[in-house]
Amino acid sequence: MALFRRSAQSVAAGAARRTAKDLRVGETGTICCLEDPEMALKLLEMGCVPGVKVRLSGRAPLGDPLMLVLGDEEYTLSVRASEAATILLKE
């Protein structure tokens, strides 16, 4: 029984993890934290600070890069899909 609970919890934890890459065009989210320590400094300098709202405004035809709008000032940022996957969003 304990093994079943652990596996169910790990599936639920994986499903709850949502990134900026998972957003649909026009959908918004709030940045929770940044996953990759090496990429975090670069993203922080570009305005991806925890607590900031982010909206996906577009994708390139092949899906990479993504165009994100940060905050209320309509700051537009273009990031690779791999970089967007490190931006974790709140539920």
Side-chain angles (χ1 to χ4, degrees), residues 18-60:
R18 188 166 181 217
T19 66
K21 182 181 175 184
D22 300 328
L23 292 173
R24 294 185 179 137
V25 175
E27 193 175 11
T28 62
T30 304
I31 297 175
C32 167
C33 53
L34 303 172
E35 188 176 46
D36 183 10
E38 293 179 14
M39 184 65 61
L41 181 60
K42 177 182 175 184
L43 292 171
L44 286 169
E45 289 174 346
M46 292 191 292
C48 294
V49 179
V52 171
K53 289 188 179 184
V54 62
R55 178 175 50 90
L56 180 65
S57 63
R59 292 180 187 262

Side-chain angles (χ1 to χ4, degrees), residues 17 19-22 35 66 80-88:
R17 182 176 173 253
T19 66
K21 182 181 175 184
D22 300 328
E35 188 176 46
L66 309 174
R80 295 181 182 109
S82 60
E83 295 169 342
T86 67
I87 303 171
L88 301 179

